[in-house]
Amino acid sequence: MSDAKLPTRAEDYSEWYNQLVLRADLADYAPVRGCMIVKPYGWTLWENIQYQLDRRFKATGHLNAGFPVFIPKSFLSKEKEHVEGFSPELAVVTIGGGEELEEPLVVRPTSETIIGYSYAKWVKSYRDLPILINLWNSVVRWEMRTKLFLRTAEFWWQEGHTAHATAEEAEAETLQMLDVYADFAINEAAIPVVKGLKTDSEKFAGALRTYTIEAMMGDTKALQSGTSHNLGQNFAKAFEIQYLDRNNETQFCWTTSWGLSTRMIGAIIMTHGDDQGLIMPPRLAPWQVVIVPIYKNDAERGPVLEAVARIKAELVDAEVRVKVDDRDTVSPGFKFNDWEMRGVPIRIEVGPKDVQKNSVALSRRDRPGREGKSFVPQAGLAEQVKTTLKDIQAALLERATAFRKANTHEPTTYDEFKTVVEKGWAHVWFAGGREEEARIKEETKATVRCIPLEQPGGSGTCFYTGQPATQKVIFARSY
RNA sequence: CGGGGCGUGGCUCAGUUUGGCUAGAGCACUCGGUUCGGGACUGAGAGGUCGAGCGUUCAAAUCGCUCCGCCCCGACCA
């Protein structure tokens, strides 16, 4: 497991990340190029993410459904931009049951097309609308360069697909789900995000508009952490999703789609992790508390384990997710480092002295070393733990927000801009288009992450073209 | 697909330049003993077609050719 120190983030951020994912036991490499195996500890985190998203989807009227992993190849071609966007990264099945297939099947890279096919069958009348469906599944995109959780050939996600009678409704849905993502990121994952609109060159293939939540990672690069697309009538027209309105006139639907993936796990790692390892936000942590029993001999062992069992039961009653590390084969010191690597928010040590004094040692993962360690009475421990978990959750969000603020700059010239995007975000007035974006990317590796929904108002001078600009955008290097 | 690097026990690597003894080390693993409040110590043990194939040679991890795989950098991306 964890036998030595991680490289520090300053030494080699990429290597820090790679080793952490493996050593925190989140995931492993698969025998298939670019694919990953999500291990139980990582999958439990994903389940907690799923639960928090799913309850929000349900609360906004969506239901889950299952759709096929195979999509007829011809479906992909029906929407022009969509096929252009996805063709290069498709996995295609040409043989089934030993026979060459009449029509090759694409392993779904996303389900807009097969959804379009189905919705066209299901929608006849304005009374059938809206359709509000979400899918929990995995999709495959044959990526050139992969990195665990951030970009793999197969990844797990949810994809919501809705169909509406009007453009206004579709836009409202798109923005509502963007809000759901932002609320989830901020309040569950403790990751501050910027809600914004993607530029044309960054939007989803086939969408009218793409909205995004963008987060700053520990190396100041940006990570697109969730997207919500207003598909307009593009897919409705390609798949003939039509209905009769109140006036008995045929209309095309307006559709949306929105997704958030296991990439969020990468975001959690890179937002909160430190040189000791992971720091799990308490609300999503697989284990919120780990209890390490400490004893020298059999005489001490009994009473200690008895106290541990009692404390565990109290925490479980208080609905705290708690793990007792009763491994006899490794030392307490090893366990401390191991669980710090894995990011458990609170560690409780129970030793002979604690048994005598009815106390425990309680350590907060967000404050390493002595500073985060205190000795607290066993009486009222459950309440103390719940309060501390809330504190940690708040502290993580606060720290990440301060970090983002400290690394977001407002350059006004291209020279300043070039320096700034080496090590942070640039929040700038911008009047350029596709061509300017491409040139800036070429020269600085930075791209427009989004046009934030929250705008200062007024106008300014574009840092690049010198033209008057009416909006500020965020430029950054990204994953 | 272009440029660079690397393939030796589970992992990290030494050995390859200059071919030559039974292919080594550390970590991890198994069994025993002592330990246990910040990554324990010790004794014994198990584990290797040296990425694959062909060739050169008395002799190949080591030299040559071919292939395969992985990593890094670029072009593409939730």
Side-chain angles (χ1 to χ4, degrees):
Chain A
M1 208 165 299
S2 41
D3 55 299
K5 289 204 174 72
L6 282 172
T8 66
R9 288 165 300 165
E11 272 166 16
D12 188 343
Y13 197 82
S14 178
E15 193 52 26
W16 169 83
Y17 179 89
N18 288 340
Q19 289 196 21
L20 185 46
V21 168
L22 298 176
R23 287 165 57 177
D25 222 18
L26 295 171
D28 200 356
Y29 291 101
V32 180
R33 191 200 71 95
C35 289
M36 70 173 162
I37 290 162
V38 181
K39 296 183 75 175
Y41 191 60
W43 194 262
T44 304
L45 174 59
W46 178 236
E47 283 177 340
N48 292 343
I49 292 169
Q50 286 183 298
Y51 170 74
Q52 294 297 348
L53 283 172
D54 203 64
R55 70 184 182 88
R56 286 168 167 80
F57 298 159
K58 302 273 170 60
T60 44
H62 304 84
L63 291 176
N64 292 325
F67 270 71
V69 69
F70 297 126
I71 298 177
K73 192 150 184 273
S74 59
F75 280 27
L76 268 293
S77 321
K78 292 196 178 194
E79 212 289 332
K80 185 169 168 293
E81 281 187 28
H82 195 64
V83 67
E84 284 170 5
F86 281 105
S87 290
E89 49 189 52
L90 295 179
V92 182
V93 178
T94 58
I95 295 173
E99 301 280 320
E100 185 92 9
L101 299 173
E102 269 189 42
E103 179 178 1
L105 298 173
V106 166
V107 181
R108 67 177 164 225
T110 179
S111 302
E112 274 76 6
T113 57
I114 198 157
I115 286 276
Y117 163 86
S118 300
Y119 284 12
K121 278 173 53 176
W122 298 347
V123 176
K124 298 293 173 218
S125 153
Y126 68 91
R127 294 189 182 91
D128 298 325
L129 296 171
I131 299 185
L132 306 172
I133 285 179
N134 178 64
L135 314 177
W136 287 103
N137 60 24
S138 71
V139 290
V140 169
R141 300 177 187 178
W142 215 258
E143 297 291 347
M144 296 296 193
R145 286 186 61 192
T146 59
K147 198 170 175 86
L148 293 176
F149 290 118
L150 297 180
R151 181 170 302 103
T152 46
E154 180 189 25
F155 59 91
W156 290 267
W157 72 344
Q158 56 71 215
E159 41 174 332
H161 294 276
T162 69
H164 307 265
T166 67
E168 293 71 31
E169 256 186 67
E171 179 68 5
E173 166 78 5
T174 310
L175 287 168
Q176 171 184 248
M177 299 323 286
L178 184 73
D179 283 339
V180 163
Y181 287 157
D183 179 61
F184 163 82
I186 294 165
N187 295 308
E188 305 295 346
I191 298 176
V193 291
V194 176
K195 289 188 287 185
L197 183 66
K198 284 290 185 189
T199 61
D200 275 359
S201 52
E202 297 275 333
K203 76 177 166 69
F204 175 75
L208 196 62
R209 291 191 270 289
T210 291
Y211 295 96
T212 176
I213 52 171
E214 295 285 326
M216 181 186 283
M217 302 295 99
D219 60 353
T220 76
K221 283 165 87 171
L223 183 72
Q224 175 176 310
S225 307
T227 47
S228 187
H229 315 292
N230 184 335
L231 303 174
Q233 293 182 308
N234 293 347
F235 285 87
K237 285 179 177 166
F239 288 89
E240 299 183 308
I241 314 175
Q242 291 175 305
Y243 67 97
L244 286 174
D245 67 14
R246 286 164 201 270
N247 304 317
N248 202 35
E249 283 173 20
T250 303
Q251 304 286 353
F252 284 111
C253 283
W254 301 78
T255 65
T256 81
S257 67
W258 25 276
L260 187 148
S261 74
T262 39
R263 172 181 271 190
M264 181 55 72
I265 292 175
I268 289 170
I269 297 167
M270 290 195 290
T271 300
H272 302 308
D274 65 14
D275 289 342
Q276 313 308 316
L278 217 56
I279 302 180
M280 291 279 189
R283 288 186 60 88
L284 297 175
W287 307 118
Q288 296 171 309
V289 173
V290 61
I291 303 179
V292 178
I294 290 157
Y295 45 81
K296 287 189 177 56
N297 48 48
D298 282 350
E300 289 175 355
R301 183 188 154 101
V304 165
L305 289 184
E306 210 171 282
V308 164
R310 195 180 63 245
I311 291 165
K312 180 189 175 183
E314 281 169 24
L315 292 175
V316 168
D317 274 353
E319 296 187 318
V320 173
R321 296 188 290 273
V322 55
K323 161 89 181 168
V324 174
D325 188 351
D326 56 4
R327 285 178 291 178
D328 248 343
T329 48
V330 291
S331 68
F334 181 92
K335 292 177 185 177
F336 297 168
N337 286 284
D338 194 31
W339 290 109
E340 276 165 14
M341 176 82 71
R342 296 169 67 157
V344 177
I346 293 178
R347 180 183 71 241
I348 291 175
E349 299 163 41
V350 182
K353 291 176 202 163
D354 300 301
V355 171
Q356 277 182 3
K357 293 194 246 173
N358 282 307
S359 66
V360 302
L362 187 149
S363 300
R364 305 172 48 137
R365 178 63 182 84
D366 64 327
R367 296 186 194 160
R370 239 170 289 131
E371 193 209 337
K373 189 159 172 171
S374 56
F375 298 88
V376 303
Q378 288 177 24
L381 182 61
E383 275 316 302
Q384 166 88 56
V385 162
K386 295 197 87 159
T387 307
T388 307
L389 288 172
K390 280 190 188 134
D391 281 357
I392 295 172
Q393 182 83 25
L396 290 178
L397 179 61
E398 199 177 323
R399 182 197 289 177
T401 307
F403 181 81
R404 187 185 67 186
K405 194 174 172 204
N407 291 289
T408 301
H409 310 283
E410 314 235 342
T412 52
T413 67
Y414 192 40
D415 276 348
E416 278 181 74
F417 175 93
K418 284 180 190 165
T419 317
V420 161
V421 295
E422 293 271 334
K423 52 176 183 10
W425 287 9
H427 187 214
V428 289
W429 292 105
F430 186 56
R434 198 177 268 268
E435 277 181 31
E436 286 77 14
E437 285 177 49
R439 230 175 307 139
I440 292 168
K441 180 180 181 183
E442 178 79 16
E443 292 167 10
T444 68
K445 293 182 181 163
T447 51
V448 177
R449 298 325 302 152
C450 70
I451 305 160
L453 297 190
E454 201 175 302
Q455 286 287 329
S459 60
T461 305
C462 175
F463 79 99
Y464 190 71
T465 64
Q467 299 297 305
T470 55
Q471 58 186 13
K472 289 196 103 170
V473 307
I474 290 171
F475 270 93
R477 296 184 177 177
S478 70
Y479 280 98

